[in-house]
Amino acid sequence: MQKQRSVKNQIISVLLFLLTAGFITVAVFLPGDLVRKEALDEVGQVMSVPVEYYSAPSEALVKNISRQLTEQERLSLIYGDWESTIQEASDKDVSLTEYEVVHLEYPIDSRYQHWYTWEATPYKAVDTTFKTYAAIFWKVTFTKYDGSESFVYYITENGTLLDLSRLPKEFREE
C-alpha cells in the first residue's frame, strides 16, 4: 500500500510539473505570437488618419517659429504684404501685458490735467498659407480723464509703431 501511494505521488508530481511547464511555455510564447500575428495582419493595410493628427500646427510650434521672424517679416504679415489674416489674440499668444505695452512708447504723466485711461487690445496676424507664422501687435487707445480727447496707436511687442495708412482698412479709424 505504501508503494502504491509512492507511485501515485510520483505521478501527481510529474503531472503537476508538466502542467506548470506547459503554462509557463504558453505564458512566455503565446503573447509574442499574438502580437506578431496582429502586426502581420495590419501590414499593407491603408487606414484613415484622424483629422486631429494632421490639423493646424500647435500653438507652441507657431510661437517658436514666429519668434524667429525678423521685425521686417512681422511687419509684412501685419501690413498684408505677406498674405495673412488678422484676428484678436488670446492671452496665450502675447508675451507682454497691457501695462507693459502701454509703457513701451508712451511715458505716463501723472500730473493733474494729464490723466489718461488706456485700453490695449492684442491682435495676431497669421500667414494664410501654412498658418505657422504669426505676428502680434497691439491697438492702444488713450482717453483723457474728462473725455475731451483720445488717440490711438498700433505697436508691435518690440516697440515698433505701425504706419496706420498701411494697416488693413478695418484698423483705420475714420
Side-chain angles (χ1 to χ4, degrees), residues 69-71 74 95-96 104 136 155-161:
L69 292 174
T70 65
E71 187 66 9
R74 285 187 189 96
S95 58
L96 298 176
L104 277 175
I136 304 295
I155 190 168
T156 67
E157 290 198 321
N158 290 347
T160 303
L161 287 173

Side-chain angles (χ1 to χ4, degrees), residues 11-173:
I11 291 174
I12 291 174
S13 294
V14 168
L15 284 174
L16 283 175
F17 174 77
L18 290 175
L19 279 173
T20 305
F23 281 129
I24 290 173
T25 303
V26 167
V28 168
F29 293 108
L30 186 61
D33 289 342
L34 290 175
V35 168
R36 194 173 307 106
K37 182 188 178 311
E38 191 174 308
L40 288 174
D41 288 346
E42 292 180 6
V43 169
Q45 286 188 9
V46 177
M47 295 184 205
S48 296
V49 177
V51 175
E52 60 268 9
Y53 283 16
Y54 59 88
S55 62
S58 71
E59 291 176 25
L61 177 68
V62 170
K63 214 169 191 180
N64 187 37
I65 290 176
S66 298
R67 204 175 295 131
Q68 298 171 21
L69 292 174
T70 65
E71 187 66 9
Q72 189 58 45
E73 290 169 329
R74 285 187 189 96
L75 293 175
S76 292
L77 274 172
I78 295 167
Y79 291 142
D81 301 336
W82 184 353
E83 197 173 319
S84 62
T85 57
I86 297 177
Q87 61 205 24
E88 267 197 51
S90 69
D91 291 342
K92 294 181 282 186
D93 297 326
V94 299
S95 58
L96 298 176
T97 65
E98 291 181 28
Y99 181 82
E100 291 169 326
V101 168
V102 168
H103 287 82
L104 277 175
E105 183 63 31
Y106 186 76
I108 304 291
D109 188 353
S110 61
R111 292 178 294 151
Y112 179 69
Q113 302 273 335
H114 291 273
W115 295 342
Y116 285 85
T117 60
W118 49 265
E119 182 181 331
T121 307
Y123 290 92
K124 173 172 66 171
V126 181
D127 76 294
T128 55
T129 308
F130 300 110
K131 296 182 181 7
T132 316
Y133 300 100
I136 304 295
F137 66 100
W138 293 76
K139 174 184 179 181
V140 181
T141 306
F142 282 95
T143 306
K144 195 164 185 176
Y145 71 96
D146 60 0
S148 63
E149 59 183 60
S150 76
F151 60 95
V152 175
Y153 66 88
Y154 293 88
I155 190 168
T156 67
E157 290 198 321
N158 290 347
T160 303
L161 287 173
L162 299 176
D163 180 356
L164 188 59
S165 68
R166 295 198 55 206
L167 286 173
K169 280 187 244 179
E170 64 264 21
F171 293 98
R172 292 184 226 145
E173 296 192 351

